Amino acid sequence: MTLTRRSLFAVAAGTAAAGIPLGQAFAQQPREIKLGYALAQNSHFGAAAQAWSDAVEKSPVNNFKFRHFPSSALGGEREMIEGLTLGTVEAVVVSNGVLSNFVPDAGVMDVPFLFRDTKHARAVLDGKFGEDLLAKFRARGLIALGWGEQGFRHLTNNKRPVAKPEDAKGLKIRVTENQVHIAAFRQLGIAPTPMAWPEVLGALQQGTIDGQENPVSVIVSAKLWQVQKHMTLTGHVYAPMALIVSPTLWASLNEAQKKAFTEGARVGGRASRQFVDDVEKKGVEEIKSHGVQVVGDVDKAAFRSALVPAYKQFAEKFGQKTMDDIAAVQ
Ligand code: PAF
């Protein structure tokens, strides 16, 4: 905040008239925290962001005012994360889509069919693996404070119903800028097209891609039924989200403030899970009601066996033990 001589006088005169010491008046100016995320404020991202900001703003360290930038207003997720490292953004809620480009170990979560179900995924992220992974962000210049959730990703497209791997062959599917997803889709004979989210709706409209993959929460929030005819409940990858702050913000906080941001991020993460639980209950019906043909009976075993060569590659990259440890979590 830059204060001109005139504004200093104005503050001094106003606070003196109100009997407030000048130092205290400046101390009371809340610091603005720019918080960016990809989807609308009434999405699971908005739920996490709102709960996080409310928790921090209402905490005893109430010196902060969050300003939300929903719907990719600060750019794609890669740009938002870069903004954190450059210090132009203070906080983000992002999907795991691009995370492994910054924190390579995060990529293991992108391995298809690694998580059995939501309960398993949450247990892994809330346990030692999740905490250790959050700590690894620091070495990469990012302060990740908690995990939220998007749900399991499903395939949508405009060409044909997909029930087994062969049906998906040749489809041009947008994927996030994520090497594990790209390798897995390529293995299935799909043509993966990495693209930042803000470009996806236009590309689907123009037909430069046939489809995309995202959880029910995203498909509903983005109303993808406007641009997609078919959906397959592949549930191929669990999609967490991460609540991250910039190293510059972090370095400026005292211990009590750090605690408020961390605890707030945990509250935000839980709010996104609650949102996802709700949207998963009725989301598929809503998608169907807009004319999308949904294939629920998916031959997941066939998808897994088609991916065997890619799994070998993932085991080399992340270590078979890490993948086994994750699988063993109850
Ligand atoms: O597919 C993606 O890029 C992400 O899942 C999205 C839609 C940006 C939500 O974070």
Side-chain angles (χ1 to χ4, degrees):
M1 178 173 55
T2 33
L3 286 169
T4 60
R5 188 188 286 235
R6 187 180 296 183
S7 62
L8 265 172
F9 280 137
V11 173
T15 53
I20 304 169
L22 190 56
Q24 193 180 325
F26 283 121
Q28 282 167 354
Q29 293 288 322
R31 174 168 174 193
E32 184 177 272
I33 305 294
K34 283 198 223 70
L35 170 58
Y37 43 96
L39 300 182
Q41 221 154 356
N42 64 354
S43 69
H44 49 305
F45 278 86
Q50 195 58 51
W52 190 12
S53 20
D54 284 350
V56 177
E57 286 176 10
K58 287 179 189 150
S59 75
V61 298
N62 64 354
N63 259 344
F64 301 95
K65 183 82 195 138
F66 281 71
R67 184 163 164 214
H68 288 220
F69 290 86
S71 305
S72 309
L74 299 178
E77 295 196 315
R78 179 192 278 274
E79 288 162 287
M80 281 196 275
I81 298 175
E82 282 164 0
L84 289 176
T85 57
L86 295 171
T88 52
V89 184
E90 281 81 30
V92 301
V93 184
V94 287
S95 76
N96 61 321
V98 298
L99 277 185
S100 53
N101 296 305
F102 297 88
V103 183
D105 286 352
V108 68
M109 294 187 292
D110 297 307
V111 171
F113 304 109
L114 178 72
F115 295 104
R116 291 185 297 279
D117 51 26
T118 304
K119 190 167 161 272
H120 178 212
R122 290 179 183 177
V124 171
L125 287 172
D126 293 344
K128 184 172 166 13
F129 172 85
E131 289 302 325
D132 288 352
L133 190 53
L134 287 178
K136 286 181 186 166
F137 280 67
R138 303 211 174 197
R140 304 282 164 166
L142 294 165
I143 314 295
L145 300 179
W147 296 112
E149 179 173 279
Q150 297 216 78
F152 279 86
R153 301 179 85 94
H154 305 293
L155 185 70
T156 68
N157 85 94
N158 269 332
K159 289 274 179 197
R160 52 181 173 267
V162 172
K164 47 188 191 316
E166 299 83 75
D167 304 331
K169 280 210 167 100
L171 289 176
K172 201 166 176 197
I173 301 293
R174 176 268 176 175
V175 291
T176 58
E177 298 159 76
N178 180 307
Q179 292 310 320
V180 173
H181 292 187
I182 293 169
F185 274 58
R186 204 166 270 149
Q187 184 64 50
L188 292 172
I190 290 172
T193 310
M195 192 183 282
W197 175 251
E199 292 160 40
V200 175
L201 278 180
L204 287 170
Q205 251 152 10
Q206 285 158 20
T208 50
I209 47 174
D210 301 320
Q212 63 85 55
E213 45 82 59
N214 252 304
V216 171
S217 57
V218 176
I219 294 168
V220 169
S221 171
K223 299 189 173 48
L224 284 188
W225 47 76
Q226 295 174 345
V227 285
Q228 291 285 260
K229 295 192 185 118
H230 303 280
M231 174 174 183
T232 305
L233 300 180
T234 42
H236 51 279
V237 170
Y238 174 75
M241 54 165 75
L243 293 88
I244 315 177
V245 299
S246 77
T248 319
L249 169 68
W250 194 248
S252 73
L253 301 179
N254 64 32
E255 287 311 309
Q257 291 167 332
K258 283 181 179 165
K259 191 160 174 267
F261 272 82
T262 307
E263 284 174 2
R266 304 295 162 117
V267 175
R270 285 198 292 277
S272 68
R273 287 178 177 178
Q274 182 61 56
F275 191 104
V276 167
D277 283 344
D278 292 344
V279 81
E280 291 269 346
K281 273 185 210 133
K282 45 189 191 319
V284 173
E285 285 313 309
E286 189 178 355
I287 294 165
K288 277 187 192 162
S289 78
H290 290 282
V292 176
Q293 194 190 339
V294 177
V295 176
D297 192 12
V298 183
D299 190 348
K300 290 198 186 181
F303 275 95
R304 268 195 220 98
S305 3
L307 283 167
V308 166
Y311 282 130
K312 290 205 183 94
Q313 196 182 316
F314 302 146
E316 273 165 31
K317 193 166 181 161
F318 302 112
Q320 187 62 47
K321 178 166 176 355
T322 307
M323 288 169 46
D324 291 346
D325 286 351
I326 291 175
V329 173
Q330 290 307 312

